[in-house]
Amino acid sequence: MSSPQQWFFLGATGYIGSQFLESAKRDASLFSKLREFTLVALVRDPENAKAKKLQEVWPGVVLVKGTLDDVNVIEEQARKSALTFNSANCDHEPSIQGATPKFVFTLPVYRPSSSASLAIITGLQKRSEDHPNGPKPLYIHISGLAILSDNSRGEKDSVGHGVHYSDTTFRLEDFPPTNPHQPPDRIIHAAAAQEKNGIRAVSVYPATVYGVGDGITPDAPLLRIFGPLYVQTGLAGTWGPGENAISVVHIKDTGAALVKIFNIALEGKKEDVDYFISDDKAESWGLKGFAQVVGKILHAHDLLKDPEPKPFPEAVTSQFGDFGWSVFAGTWQGSSDRLRAEGWEPTETAKVSFWDALPVEVENFVTAYKASRS
């Protein structure tokens, strides 16, 4: 890659991003490669505790103040970078495409804020134009396996039940264009296919990532969404009957998978491909079973009067729009065949199942929730 080397990281203090840094430090080969770069991290506040912890975790990191809505900042840093890694909000569309989006994407009231890959793509394409004789800039993008959703609205006997899609045969066009992650992922795939001002792009599709991690943000996002939602609505709620099935993978296995993907991408051993991170041998989860476990524990802590799962009323589900129905009520399951072929195995998922980890995560939420109100 061209000199000077800059590595632009969005989401470095987040759940997946900070776990990746810890996993990368334990892999001598990847750690050596990454230390050849200057890490530039986008952070909301360079003075907050997480940003200061990042400076301890990765000495020499350069902190750039900004959010995923600061598309000009993101585009500028991507243009300077030989490598860009986005583990922040995968659906934040303006930041993916740039300050002047090429089309309008209608978003629900609640969404995983759709604004980082157009700006990244624009910046990387400009970098490629700036260095026509140099190697293509590399973009590694964390998407999500919910892109496979069958939109079954919580029904058990859906087309997706029992089906585990393989990343070796995955094609975006085989799934509804309105599914989660589709708009930014189509932008990324299209940019990677262009010859003029070309870029390299690797999209990564994790299943539901769970478990307590080693990173700056150790707690999974599932309870950060559903814990407050259950407490505030007074319901251990589901979208529809909640009989859907969703693949899982432990956060530490996710970190190990990303190490494998980065090593492959930086060595340039293969053409850019898509990777699923999922354990097809692990028991999937559905919202009804999840609500039963979480509701019982919240009830024991006097945070919920009725622990029995019930479908959320439309007044709640409407706040999440079609996104909520697709992600929380759809069935989406995948097999990590490409990673397994490279020697990756979800060993931590086999040790600590989603259902074993869930009570610990709920208790962690309860402790943090009560502390925030004391």
Side-chain angles (χ1 to χ4, degrees), residues 1 16 34 54 70 114 116 139 151 157 164 166 179 182 198 207 235 239 242 250 252 279 284 303 343 365:
M1 293 182 178
I16 291 178
L34 291 178
L54 179 60
D70 292 315
S114 210
Y139 179 33
N151 299 292
D157 297 323
H164 286 78
S166 171
N179 267 16
Q182 275 275 11
L235 293 172
W239 266 252
H250 196 280
K252 294 180 182 178
D279 185 359
S284 297
L303 293 175
F365 161 75

Side-chain angles (χ1 to χ4, degrees), residues 170-320:
F170 168 69
R171 300 189 312 163
L172 283 175
E173 56 267 30
D174 290 341
F175 298 89
T178 53
N179 267 16
H181 321 314
Q182 275 275 11
D185 284 26
R186 286 178 180 246
I187 292 165
I188 294 164
H189 280 69
Q194 293 178 6
E195 292 188 11
K196 184 179 179 181
N197 301 331
I199 69 169
R200 295 181 58 206
V202 176
S203 292
V204 184
Y205 297 86
T208 296
V209 185
Y210 72 92
V212 179
D214 301 320
I216 296 169
T217 301
D219 295 322
L222 207 55
L223 263 298
R224 284 184 260 142
I225 296 170
F226 281 97
L229 185 62
Y230 284 3
V231 172
Q232 291 167 16
T233 61
L235 293 172
T238 62
W239 266 252
E243 299 284 358
N244 53 320
I246 299 174
S247 287
V248 299
V249 66
H250 196 280
I251 181 61
K252 294 180 182 178
D253 289 330
T254 303
L258 288 170
V259 167
K260 183 75 69 175
I261 290 167
F262 264 76
N263 271 320
I264 293 169
L266 290 174
E267 290 169 7
K269 293 192 299 185
K270 291 188 175 183
E271 292 296 319
D272 299 337
V273 294
D274 299 321
Y275 294 92
F276 292 174
I277 305 180
S278 177
D279 185 359
D280 58 299
K281 296 180 176 62
E283 182 182 355
S284 297
W285 73 282
L287 202 47
K288 183 177 181 179
F290 173 87
Q292 287 174 332
V293 174
V294 177
K296 182 178 180 180
I297 297 173
L298 294 182
H299 177 71
H301 285 280
D302 296 323
L303 293 175
L304 202 63
K305 289 184 178 179
D306 183 0
E308 292 303 314
K310 294 180 178 62
F312 277 126
E314 195 268 342
V316 175
T317 59
S318 64
Q319 298 302 306
F320 293 75

Side-chain angles (χ1 to χ4, degrees), residues 1 82-85 124 136-140 200-202 265-266 272:
M1 293 182 178
L83 165 65
T84 297
F85 179 36
L124 294 178
K136 296 178 181 179
L138 173 61
Y139 179 33
I140 298 179
R200 295 181 58 206
V202 176
L266 290 174
D272 299 337

